[in-house]
Amino acid sequence: GTYFRVTTFGESHGGGVGCVIDGCPPRRRLSEPDLQAELNRRRTGQEGRTTTNRNETDTCRILSGVTDGVTTGTPILIFVPNTEKSRHDYNEMSMVYRPSHADATYDMKYGVRAVEGGGRASARETVGRVAAGAVAKKILKELSGTEIIGFASQVHDVVIPEGMVDYNCLTQDEVDRSVVRCPVPEYEEKMMAAIDTVHAVGDSIGGVVTCIIKNCPRGLGSPVFDKLEAELAKALMSIPASKGFHIGSGFAGTFLTGSQHNDPFFVDKDGRIRTRTNQSGGIQGGISNGEVIVMRVAFKPIATIGRKQQTVTRDKREVELKALDCHDPCVVPRAVPIVEAMVSLVLVDQLMAQHGQCNLFPINQDLQEPIQFPALV
Amino acid sequence: GTYFRVTTFGESHGGGVGCVIDGCPPRRRLSEPDLQAELNRRRTGQEGRTTTNRNETDTCRILSGVTDGVTTGTPILIFVPNTEKSRHDYNEMSMVYRPSHADATYDMKYGVRAVEGGGRASARETVGRVAAGAVAKKILKELSGTEIIGFASQVHDVVIPEGMVDYNCLTQDEVDRSVVRCPVPEYEEKMMAAIDTVHAVGDSIGGVVTCIIKNCPRGLGSPVFDKLEAELAKALMSIPASKGFHIGSGFAGTFLTGSQHNDPFFVDKDGRIRTRTNQSGGIQGGISNGEVIVMRVAFKPIATIGRKQQTVTRDKREVELKALDCHDPCVVPRAVPIVEAMVSLVLVDQLMAQHGQCNLFPINQDLQEPIQFPALV
Amino acid sequence: GTYFRVTTFGESHGGGVGCVIDGCPPRRRLSEPDLQAELNRRRTGQEGRTTTNRNETDTCRILSGVTDGVTTGTPILIFVPNTEKSRHDYNEMSMVYRPSHADATYDMKYGVRAVEGGGRASARETVGRVAAGAVAKKILKELSGTEIIGFASQVHDVVIPEGMVDYNCLTQDEVDRSVVRCPVPEYEEKMMAAIDTVHAVGDSIGGVVTCIIKNCPRGLGSPVFDKLEAELAKALMSIPASKGFHIGSGFAGTFLTGSQHNDPFFVDKDGRIRTRTNQSGGIQGGISNGEVIVMRVAFKPIATIGRKQQTVTRDKREVELKALDCHDPCVVPRAVPIVEAMVSLVLVDQLMAQHGQCNLFPINQDLQEPIQFPALV
Amino acid sequence: GTYFRVTTFGESHGGGVGCVIDGCPPRRRLSEPDLQAELNRRRTGQEGRTTTNRNETDTCRILSGVTDGVTTGTPILIFVPNTEKSRHDYNEMSMVYRPSHADATYDMKYGVRAVEGGGRASARETVGRVAAGAVAKKILKELSGTEIIGFASQVHDVVIPEGMVDYNCLTQDEVDRSVVRCPVPEYEEKMMAAIDTVHAVGDSIGGVVTCIIKNCPRGLGSPVFDKLEAELAKALMSIPASKGFHIGSGFAGTFLTGSQHNDPFFVDKDGRIRTRTNQSGGIQGGISNGEVIVMRVAFKPIATIGRKQQTVTRDKREVELKALDCHDPCVVPRAVPIVEAMVSLVLVDQLMAQHGQCNLFPINQDLQEPIQFPALV
């Protein structure tokens, strides 16, 4: 972000992980339990089935930027100590490039890398994102009643049919009730079965997280390089294992004609300009139009699997690799709060940008003389 | 970009359009014909069939930053005057919100907008992107032999099957030979037929641009928020009418298991570490691995159509709208050079970042003493 | 700036100069005459005496970002064509490094440079700064009645004594009435005499511009790296020929003790917290406190002089150089509007940042429950 | 910085202070003792005389970004725990605005502030700057033999005369040998006497830190807004208590004529283009020219004094304030390593920018064909 600026730090096996948030609005109530709730969501939804069994408790501490329970506007430091101190035996790993991991590319880029725990590529880096996202989420809720809700809409070949989830009614509770974060019970069972099956054979599967934004203020985003969908795409494609991003109709929209795809405008009973359909996914010309924003993110099957794989070592010997400890067979359930966090960070940054530029002058006051094309929204 | 910084300016019916490039490497030969070639590519591929018949000639001038045919390292100003001076009669347009255009959202954001020619949302803004991209493309070619080649891989329901285009052999000439920028003659014909059909009924269709990067240097991108695929996604989702982005296996990868999706490493006959498959699409852990980078971008059917549509005016009257002048029935062919330009801008910026950070010290010189995990690439 | 982002372009002998402003608040009346007034101020104050006799008329055109006399919020392109087309005979110059110019350092940095007209180092680049500053100045005036007034407080050894100018009463008209932009008539005459003397012998002199900000909103700036005085220092030290920056007491303050330097607080008759003295210069802890902000900028004697100088050529021959055309004997009068422009650009950016971060939530609404340390300002 | 990005965090009485460095070159040896040496310099030079007696030991820990003693290129987290846990009794302070502190302006900006320990305005925030600066300093030394040396050139009215310190011979050891960091023994004694005198009466004094850069690579900085002196000015004016910045001749240069001020070029015995004088202070046209860079920074007398002062409380009562605990009577000695740290951070960032832009293509290789104005440096 440019205004709400987040830096994450830490590695899986260093002293801890966390983030620094610079530019947070002052005078907002904020406490560790606010963050802990989201951090816990990131850890759960697993029950020995879908995710790794690390014993990290992820207990966060706010070390600066909050006084007497209120944000001061100065940098907020959130720190989550690593509790699992034992040094894993990564000797084997240290020389072998795990297929489709970042081991080889880190060496290509930096000429050196932290071997323990995957360094920055570790999923544990996302703790800082979720903590910062929790702050953003709270601000959005309080300021404009904006809610960001993600859910598993696909796990491997189990796909919730289009239209089965009513975005206007969906709540986060409905999602969190489900172990795999699927709000449709019938499909939840199928997803869990798919995960169990692949887990049994030491393999992994991917899927799709759908994320919606309800009550998104109109006017967020900008017209050219920093379109709202471009910022969202960048944020979501920065999550480990993501392979694709759709806004609104996405790739399916390429099979429609313009007359099918265009969203007709109408005036609703409250006098607001709305669209009858939402192929645009809540964004037109790079700017939010007040409809529900709908995104989908593809996650590949996680790269660490329990089966033998062909690979090479750092010194270019060809070897076979078989992972010792068992990771997530499916990352999708745990990706949900990370997707929500990244979306929240983008939105709060855009909201601040919009407020700074377009609300600097009160909208009613600065158009005293008639101008030719006044806004009537 | 952060190092190769581009600002575009101008509107469809202002004095002209163009860009300022700040941070360009000095001492590179650059002349107007270098840019003109790409600007002409942006205008062609239409032949009265696929794109609008504006009579703009798009003749560019370099107004600063180049002396005696060589870049000076200071800001490069590229200006393309608008030749079509006649003021269109946009009276009707000025009060009507065209469905799925940016008219309404501009008013929502700014409370005012330039009505003529679509303002910044005009496709003409992309002239500046293509001009800047031409500079980036030239640098990439000269520095590392890197080539960026885009092509139409889908128009409406005409889809080139996976595997039919060999990315290792594809050349830009093969693509440019085709009016719709499809390198497979059989599918080119089908695409043109689809465009003709929809054109006849005053409707529009979308499609997909696939873009590959050949000879991409290893090590570009960074591990966390600024992953290479995240930067590419942002750049490509900022192109008007784009609705989705895939890297490598994309959404199709969600149907595979980890053992199918992982790309096994091997050592090729030149002693380079390579992958046997390329589901990763040339990027692992946010960093390029030297394989061909493969992206796909979805473009929706363009919103301006010749058929009657329901909409509202600025003052909230419900009306019917029928566009007078005929726009592109399909944006895909003309989107190809814009996609290539945006990819080039991201790459050259990443290359400079990589050079500034990781090549500051010569790689052979700074590892005099043995360290535990040297790079062996 | 981060919010109000300005890029300048152009060179002394290219097609023209100007700027692109991105992030300008929308719905503000803006026209070419608004800008022209400041551009004319930049050219005047010379009368054959203090500055060069270039025949550039500096007529600006707004090419985008304004519609029907109102800013649209999208990038504003301001272009000032160069009218003096004749190519100067810079052959001599092209091989000789002029002492204390940027000729040598450009070659050191870029390995190449534009010889004609001094390239980016030309004072003509400041046209874009003044044009952008005029937009900023207008916004500040309208939003908060903030005025930025600069004046010549020293020319060579003619120094207006401390305390002689009452900052609370000073107006821009008083300054502009003077050819050398000195508001104290007695000293104005001495300054003009000093300029005439040095002009007669083909030499040059420097001086000091003092700049004040009246009615600066409280709370601008930030506590650590981006202190308001740090941003102002950067902006002002980026003006060609500036050699030093003072805020408030500046270097003179180093001769005081803490008890002399501290500014005692009091409550004024309007119930506002004020300071009795203003050694701080209107900024405390990096943040504006509502008092008049007082800065001083040192300008060296301009490097182009009519006397013989020892120097070297690009190919390392030692030669004597004598400038042919006569430049400014003193840059101070013409620097005044440039100083004001740079200060305006910093302030409007800080104002937008402050609004985006700290006014996102209405100040009265977000402190419903009592907190321990409420703001009482 | 843009390339070498530093975020500091923490407050005087929170859990700790420190910084995150993003973008550090990889494969550099780095260990805690490297940083500790600079952190210790920040704490010493006081001996009960010049600075506060806080019992913080400032023991730093590197928590990420370094593996096996080598930087990995990923974010480096440096953490310095606060050891002094006892909560000071700041009750009195919490309602009183200390004159010339940031108490009032923080409330003006944020509407709330951390009362304990001065929040972000605390001098303890500079621990993070010094730690990050130590990393930068090490890189500069290793890459180009660049040394950054600061010293106390003035304490109150004790001023080392111009020319008494030979910048070409000065070493950091000579400076550190002195308690007040003054390399001229005669003046060191006078400075200490001045500090003792003011300390006895509970008052404070200011002074000047001069900082030089030896072996600065040529070509650093850029021509317009981001001139090297502008970046240095911003960095140094962001240090608490700084009130002015001079480069080269500074304000004294305003009393010279152009013929006195211009630095004649010559070719030295090694065939390098040099200047005979150095009024420019090592920077011309915003770009370093290879001569010694000379800066001076003014520090006001510190605001916390032991004498009674008039002030107001948050709720606008006028009161008298007398500080309980004794702070630094003079900040100058302790400011020296902070000045050096800020200069180092600017330089390493500029070096990386220069390398990324101007050394992307090898300088010998890219000028194969003769061009009109080749670099001869």
Side-chain angles (χ1 to χ4, degrees), chain D residues 180-200:
Chain D
V180 290
R181 295 214 160 86
C182 168
V184 186
E186 177 191 350
Y187 284 86
E188 181 195 5
E189 277 171 41
K190 290 185 191 165
M191 289 178 183
M192 287 173 64
I195 293 171
D196 286 345
T197 303
V198 77
H199 189 46

mmCIF file of all heavy atoms in Angstrom, chain D residues 180-200:
data_model
loop_
_atom_site.group_PDB
_atom_site.id
_atom_site.type_symbol
_atom_site.label_atom_id
_atom_site.label_comp_id
_atom_site.label_asym_id
_atom_site.label_seq_id
_atom_site.Cartn_x
_atom_site.Cartn_y
_atom_site.Cartn_z
ATOM 1 N N VAL D 180 33.599 14.479 23.245
ATOM 2 C CA VAL D 180 32.558 15.250 22.556
ATOM 3 C C VAL D 180 32.635 15.104 21.040
ATOM 4 O O VAL D 180 31.956 15.796 20.306
ATOM 5 C CB VAL D 180 32.621 16.754 22.923
ATOM 6 C CG1 VAL D 180 32.179 16.958 24.360
ATOM 7 C CG2 VAL D 180 34.007 17.325 22.688
ATOM 8 N N ARG D 181 33.463 14.186 20.588
ATOM 9 C CA ARG D 181 33.634 13.913 19.150
ATOM 10 C C ARG D 181 34.130 15.135 18.390
ATOM 11 O O ARG D 181 33.653 15.453 17.296
ATOM 12 C CB ARG D 181 32.337 13.391 18.541
ATOM 13 C CG ARG D 181 31.942 12.045 19.120
ATOM 14 C CD ARG D 181 31.260 11.144 18.127
ATOM 15 N NE ARG D 181 31.335 9.753 18.551
ATOM 16 C CZ ARG D 181 30.472 9.150 19.371
ATOM 17 N NH1 ARG D 181 29.457 9.823 19.848
ATOM 18 N NH2 ARG D 181 30.635 7.898 19.698
ATOM 19 N N CYS D 182 35.124 15.811 19.015
ATOM 20 C CA CYS D 182 35.775 16.933 18.354
ATOM 21 C C CYS D 182 37.224 16.548 18.098
ATOM 22 O O CYS D 182 37.961 16.233 19.039
ATOM 23 C CB CYS D 182 35.710 18.177 19.255
ATOM 24 S SG CYS D 182 36.781 19.501 18.660
ATOM 25 N N PRO D 183 37.686 16.542 16.839
ATOM 26 C CA PRO D 183 39.022 16.032 16.542
ATOM 27 C C PRO D 183 40.152 17.024 16.836
ATOM 28 O O PRO D 183 41.315 16.658 16.688
ATOM 29 C CB PRO D 183 38.955 15.729 15.044
ATOM 30 C CG PRO D 183 37.929 16.671 14.516
ATOM 31 C CD PRO D 183 36.950 16.921 15.624
ATOM 32 N N VAL D 184 39.805 18.256 17.248
ATOM 33 C CA VAL D 184 40.850 19.241 17.540
ATOM 34 C C VAL D 184 40.918 19.421 19.062
ATOM 35 O O VAL D 184 40.013 20.013 19.653
ATOM 36 C CB VAL D 184 40.542 20.595 16.864
ATOM 37 C CG1 VAL D 184 41.706 21.560 17.056
ATOM 38 C CG2 VAL D 184 40.235 20.395 15.397
ATOM 39 N N PRO D 185 41.977 18.884 19.698
ATOM 40 C CA PRO D 185 42.020 18.825 21.169
ATOM 41 C C PRO D 185 41.749 20.171 21.832
ATOM 42 O O PRO D 185 41.002 20.247 22.827
ATOM 43 C CB PRO D 185 43.445 18.332 21.460
ATOM 44 C CG PRO D 185 43.838 17.569 20.233
ATOM 45 C CD PRO D 185 43.168 18.254 19.090
ATOM 46 N N GLU D 186 42.326 21.231 21.297
ATOM 47 C CA GLU D 186 42.157 22.557 21.889
ATOM 48 C C GLU D 186 40.667 22.948 21.960
ATOM 49 O O GLU D 186 40.188 23.464 22.967
ATOM 50 C CB GLU D 186 42.936 23.551 21.019
ATOM 51 C CG GLU D 186 42.812 24.981 21.428
ATOM 52 C CD GLU D 186 43.394 25.876 20.328
ATOM 53 O OE1 GLU D 186 44.048 25.334 19.388
ATOM 54 O OE2 GLU D 186 43.185 27.100 20.396
ATOM 55 N N TYR D 187 39.972 22.672 20.891
ATOM 56 C CA TYR D 187 38.552 23.038 20.875
ATOM 57 C C TYR D 187 37.697 22.032 21.649
ATOM 58 O O TYR D 187 36.651 22.376 22.180
ATOM 59 C CB TYR D 187 38.065 23.211 19.435
ATOM 60 C CG TYR D 187 38.564 24.517 18.872
ATOM 61 C CD1 TYR D 187 39.819 24.616 18.284
ATOM 62 C CD2 TYR D 187 37.800 25.675 19.017
ATOM 63 C CE1 TYR D 187 40.304 25.814 17.812
ATOM 64 C CE2 TYR D 187 38.272 26.889 18.538
ATOM 65 C CZ TYR D 187 39.522 26.958 17.948
ATOM 66 O OH TYR D 187 39.967 28.166 17.504
ATOM 67 N N GLU D 188 38.175 20.804 21.687
ATOM 68 C CA GLU D 188 37.458 19.796 22.466
ATOM 69 C C GLU D 188 37.313 20.262 23.915
ATOM 70 O O GLU D 188 36.239 20.189 24.510
ATOM 71 C CB GLU D 188 38.222 18.477 22.429
ATOM 72 C CG GLU D 188 37.516 17.375 23.199
ATOM 73 C CD GLU D 188 38.410 16.181 23.483
ATOM 74 O OE1 GLU D 188 39.622 16.249 23.166
ATOM 75 O OE2 GLU D 188 37.894 15.204 24.028
ATOM 76 N N GLU D 189 38.414 20.772 24.465
ATOM 77 C CA GLU D 189 38.379 21.233 25.861
ATOM 78 C C GLU D 189 37.400 22.375 26.051
ATOM 79 O O GLU D 189 36.622 22.400 27.001
ATOM 80 C CB GLU D 189 39.772 21.667 26.304
ATOM 81 C CG GLU D 189 40.625 20.499 26.754
ATOM 82 C CD GLU D 189 42.065 20.940 26.973
ATOM 83 O OE1 GLU D 189 42.270 22.044 27.538
ATOM 84 O OE2 GLU D 189 42.971 20.197 26.542
ATOM 85 N N LYS D 190 37.426 23.307 25.110
ATOM 86 C CA LYS D 190 36.490 24.434 25.215
ATOM 87 C C LYS D 190 35.035 23.963 25.126
ATOM 88 O O LYS D 190 34.153 24.468 25.812
ATOM 89 C CB LYS D 190 36.762 25.444 24.088
ATOM 90 C CG LYS D 190 38.073 26.206 24.239
ATOM 91 C CD LYS D 190 38.191 27.265 23.142
ATOM 92 C CE LYS D 190 39.586 27.862 23.085
ATOM 93 N NZ LYS D 190 39.803 28.613 21.832
ATOM 94 N N MET D 191 34.801 22.995 24.243
ATOM 95 C CA MET D 191 33.426 22.479 24.108
ATOM 96 C C MET D 191 32.972 21.830 25.408
ATOM 97 O O MET D 191 31.848 22.046 25.859
ATOM 98 C CB MET D 191 33.360 21.456 22.964
ATOM 99 C CG MET D 191 33.487 22.077 21.574
ATOM 100 S SD MET D 191 33.456 20.805 20.288
ATOM 101 C CE MET D 191 33.706 21.827 18.815
ATOM 102 N N MET D 192 33.856 21.038 26.022
ATOM 103 C CA MET D 192 33.494 20.390 27.269
ATOM 104 C C MET D 192 33.231 21.402 28.368
ATOM 105 O O MET D 192 32.305 21.232 29.172
ATOM 106 C CB MET D 192 34.574 19.392 27.679
ATOM 107 C CG MET D 192 34.537 18.146 26.789
ATOM 108 S SD MET D 192 35.919 17.025 27.081
ATOM 109 C CE MET D 192 35.574 16.557 28.772
ATOM 110 N N ALA D 193 34.031 22.445 28.372
ATOM 111 C CA ALA D 193 33.811 23.492 29.368
ATOM 112 C C ALA D 193 32.448 24.151 29.163
ATOM 113 O O ALA D 193 31.707 24.412 30.124
ATOM 114 C CB ALA D 193 34.931 24.536 29.280
ATOM 115 N N ALA D 194 32.096 24.395 27.906
ATOM 116 C CA ALA D 194 30.799 25.013 27.616
ATOM 117 C C ALA D 194 29.649 24.120 28.075
ATOM 118 O O ALA D 194 28.653 24.581 28.640
ATOM 119 C CB ALA D 194 30.676 25.294 26.111
ATOM 120 N N ILE D 195 29.825 22.807 27.863
ATOM 121 C CA ILE D 195 28.775 21.865 28.273
ATOM 122 C C ILE D 195 28.666 21.835 29.790
ATOM 123 O O ILE D 195 27.564 21.855 30.350
ATOM 124 C CB ILE D 195 29.068 20.454 27.705
ATOM 125 C CG1 ILE D 195 28.940 20.475 26.173
ATOM 126 C CG2 ILE D 195 28.143 19.413 28.313
ATOM 127 C CD1 ILE D 195 29.413 19.211 25.475
ATOM 128 N N ASP D 196 29.803 21.794 30.466
ATOM 129 C CA ASP D 196 29.782 21.775 31.933
ATOM 130 C C ASP D 196 29.097 23.012 32.492
ATOM 131 O O ASP D 196 28.307 22.932 33.432
ATOM 132 C CB ASP D 196 31.215 21.684 32.477
ATOM 133 C CG ASP D 196 31.810 20.289 32.287
ATOM 134 O OD1 ASP D 196 31.022 19.356 32.001
ATOM 135 O OD2 ASP D 196 33.034 20.147 32.411
ATOM 136 N N THR D 197 29.394 24.148 31.899
ATOM 137 C CA THR D 197 28.825 25.404 32.379
ATOM 138 C C THR D 197 27.300 25.395 32.296
ATOM 139 O O THR D 197 26.589 25.717 33.242
ATOM 140 C CB THR D 197 29.368 26.581 31.536
ATOM 141 O OG1 THR D 197 30.785 26.555 31.620
ATOM 142 C CG2 THR D 197 28.822 27.910 32.049
ATOM 143 N N VAL D 198 26.808 25.013 31.145
ATOM 144 C CA VAL D 198 25.358 25.047 30.947
ATOM 145 C C VAL D 198 24.669 23.964 31.781
ATOM 146 O O VAL D 198 23.557 24.131 32.272
ATOM 147 C CB VAL D 198 25.019 24.940 29.443
ATOM 148 C CG1 VAL D 198 25.169 23.516 28.947
ATOM 149 C CG2 VAL D 198 23.627 25.479 29.188
ATOM 150 N N HIS D 199 25.361 22.820 31.955
ATOM 151 C CA HIS D 199 24.824 21.725 32.745
ATOM 152 C C HIS D 199 24.601 22.176 34.185
ATOM 153 O O HIS D 199 23.596 21.835 34.822
ATOM 154 C CB HIS D 199 25.805 20.557 32.698
ATOM 155 C CG HIS D 199 25.271 19.297 33.283
ATOM 156 N ND1 HIS D 199 24.018 18.792 33.010
ATOM 157 C CD2 HIS D 199 25.836 18.400 34.143
ATOM 158 C CE1 HIS D 199 23.826 17.670 33.662
ATOM 159 N NE2 HIS D 199 24.911 17.406 34.368
ATOM 160 N N ALA D 200 25.534 22.954 34.672
ATOM 161 C CA ALA D 200 25.479 23.408 36.057
ATOM 162 C C ALA D 200 24.240 24.255 36.336
ATOM 163 O O ALA D 200 23.692 24.249 37.433
ATOM 164 C CB ALA D 200 26.747 24.197 36.389
#
